[in-house]
Amino acid sequence: MTNGRAVIWSRADRAARMFVEYSTTDRFDSVLRVPGPAALETSDFTARVVLTGLPAGQRIFYRVLFQDLADIRTWSDPVPGSFATPPTEGRARNVTLAWSADTVGQGWGINPEWGGLRLYETMRAAQPDVFIHCGDTIYADQHLPSEITLDDGAIWKNVVTEAKSKVAETLEEFRGNYKYNLLDEHMRRFNADVPQIVMWDDHEVRDNWYWERDLSKDERFTVKSTALLAARARRAFQEFQPVTINGDDPDRIYRTVPYGPLVEVFALDLRSYRGANSENRQTTVSDPARIFGAVQVATLKARLAASRATWKVIASDMPLGVVVPDRPAFFDAVANDDPGAPRGRELEVAELLTFIRDRKISNTVWITADVHYCAAHYYDPSRAAFTEFSPFWEFVAGPLHAGTFAPGAMDPTFGPEVKFTGTSPDTKPNRPPSDGLQFFGTLTIDARTRALTVKLHNLAGKVLFSVELPG
């Protein structure tokens, strides 16, 4: 959902044409019907319809129908949903964004006895205007066991499908990972009622992937080309998410999404344009040292400078200051565990932060995930080895439904201060969802004061941390 425009995604079980009917009332008075494309085998029967000219500041009620192309007299049952369009200056209201990441990871799948993917229902109850999924929407590189014995001797029982019985290698197997998650009723209800900005990270392909990664020693994979796996994974991601394919660059996932005058979201892609994981100690900004890529960082700078929104939310699939190791002495994220001046991937971040300061771009806040705990980090040049930037906040959330871990080490290059973490250093690794350590965050912007209130929540919806930032 963006200003005046919404992408409605759905999937049929056969060759069929998609239609969307929508109204400004749940009684569907004055219904408008928009015909969509044919959902065919080539897209695994997925399709999307773009609604345009939508009124601002209005809740829209919609229903999706499919017409069987083999028998055009046969129609599907309608599937309903709703969403709120962005406000305008003249119709101001508070706006709430939610974010999290990491769905069905580390062996924790849909357990009907426990209640399925329960955090999706908790987030739906919070009634956000928009949800930002910061990546690891699936775990294509991890199969699901049928049972896991918990610490107390209880048994966690997973629903297991053919696609989730092994790592994904074929296009059909990648698609099967998305279809597995959609078996959960909580996720389906959430998807129908909450507009989403969906990003990807590594597990949509393979843990800590980059194009040149060597899979020759990974016996789980018969396909040894990461580039081939990534191409199939990208196709499945684009088929199963409510994204608009860019005609000029159909592989592009990073994008900017304005949502009225109060907020604009800058969704990043730190996977597609990076150099290989390494010791991350390069001294110049070259292709091997990049994580954004030259075109993406230039686009981000231009869009940040042009934005007139009160708050600019930079949604990143990986944190800036948390040390995320790959192999011994290699790193997967930005930080390189070196307390000195920026090197390696930190160089692109330093350049961007200086640009934001020098162009006086106000009210930027970073949200991220990946590390499977929640946290609040405050970056301050007075504490940093690199000082050419203005202070800013970074907030971490997740997992949605995956293993939870202890907080990671922080790299001091950009002066982060850990204000809060949702787990402790002695947290045992890979805590199950049943431990309650599943997290999401919310960002609420007050229409009157323009202040931003950030909250971190647990599985029950309880607020664990809150801070108000002046507008």
Side-chain angles (χ1 to χ4, degrees), residues 440-457:
F440 72 102
T442 56
L443 310 160
T444 300
I445 306 166
D446 187 289
R448 182 179 61 83
T449 66
R450 303 295 175 107
L452 172 67
T453 300
V454 185
K455 297 178 181 178
L456 298 174
H457 309 254

Side-chain angles (χ1 to χ4, degrees), residues 118-442:
R118 286 166 48 179
L119 188 59
Y120 279 94
E121 185 62 23
T122 303
M123 293 194 302
R124 192 173 78 96
Q127 298 185 310
D129 293 285
V130 176
F131 172 65
I132 304 165
H133 199 307
C134 286
D136 293 342
T137 55
I138 59 170
Y139 279 72
D141 59 333
Q142 297 177 6
H143 80 284
L144 288 175
S146 59
E147 294 184 351
I148 301 174
T149 302
L150 303 178
D151 291 349
D152 62 1
I155 303 299
W156 178 279
K157 298 179 181 180
N158 285 319
V159 173
V160 181
T161 63
E162 183 178 355
K164 290 304 297 178
S165 65
K166 64 179 291 292
V167 298
E169 299 178 273
T170 67
L171 177 57
E172 184 57 35
E173 288 167 347
F174 283 108
R175 289 166 169 168
N177 274 256
Y178 291 99
K179 287 185 279 192
Y180 177 86
N181 292 358
L182 288 167
L183 294 174
D184 181 75
E185 62 180 350
H186 302 311
M187 175 183 268
R188 293 198 307 273
R189 277 199 300 267
F190 182 82
N191 289 355
D193 284 346
V194 182
Q196 300 184 38
I197 300 168
V198 185
M199 301 152 56
W200 79 341
D201 190 29
D202 56 339
H203 290 288
E204 284 84 0
V205 181
R206 195 268 193 193
D207 186 32
N208 296 353
W209 79 272
Y210 48 89
W211 293 106
E212 306 89 349
R213 190 171 193 107
D214 180 14
L215 298 181
S216 61
K217 295 181 180 179
D218 192 333
E219 296 180 355
R220 300 174 303 162
F221 290 88
T222 58
V223 175
K224 299 300 183 180
S225 168
T226 300
L228 178 55
L229 292 175
R232 290 170 176 167
R234 188 187 300 267
R235 169 70 64 84
F237 174 87
Q238 291 175 325
E239 288 174 342
F240 277 82
Q241 301 294 358
V243 296
T244 302
I245 309 303
N246 184 289
D248 296 328
D249 184 1
D251 284 343
R252 195 179 86 185
I253 291 173
Y254 70 87
R255 58 206 185 275
T256 301
V257 183
Y259 194 84
L262 294 180
V263 64
E264 191 162 359
V265 178
F266 302 82
L268 305 182
D269 174 4
L270 300 188
R271 283 289 155 193
S272 300
Y273 312 102
R274 64 169 54 204
N277 288 357
S278 69
E279 294 180 348
N280 201 19
R281 303 293 173 88
Q282 296 90 346
T283 57
T284 58
V285 182
S286 58
D287 286 344
R290 291 191 181 277
I291 191 167
F292 289 86
V295 173
Q296 181 176 194
V297 78
T299 302
L300 177 59
K301 288 178 179 178
R303 297 304 297 266
L304 282 168
S307 177
R308 296 297 174 262
T310 302
W311 287 95
K312 296 88 177 170
V313 175
I314 303 174
S316 175
D317 43 307
M318 304 199 80
L320 299 180
V322 181
V323 177
V324 182
D326 187 4
R327 289 162 288 182
F330 278 28
F331 299 93
D332 189 51
V334 173
N336 58 18
D337 203 20
D338 181 345
R343 291 198 289 175
R345 292 166 176 166
E346 294 172 337
L347 294 168
E348 271 191 321
V349 173
E351 177 186 307
L352 174 62
L353 295 180
T354 299
F355 175 86
I356 291 171
R357 182 200 65 178
D358 291 349
R359 294 297 295 268
K360 296 181 173 57
I361 300 170
S362 61
N363 296 344
T364 60
V365 61
W366 293 67
I367 59 171
T368 188
D370 181 66
V371 289
H372 294 242
Y373 61 89
C374 69
H377 304 146
Y378 184 65
Y379 291 80
D380 189 339
S382 68
R383 297 165 43 90
F386 175 77
T387 62
E388 302 302 310
F389 68 96
S390 299
F392 66 95
W393 284 86
E394 175 189 59
F395 299 97
V396 185
L400 271 168
H401 188 90
T404 306
F405 293 84
M410 301 298 294
D411 184 302
T413 297
F414 299 112
E417 179 182 358
V418 179
K419 298 287 191 178
F420 173 81
T421 59
T423 60
S424 63
D426 61 355
T427 300
K428 293 177 64 176
N430 197 19
R431 294 296 80 212
S434 53
D435 277 11
L437 298 174
Q438 310 286 288
F439 307 107
F440 72 102
T442 56

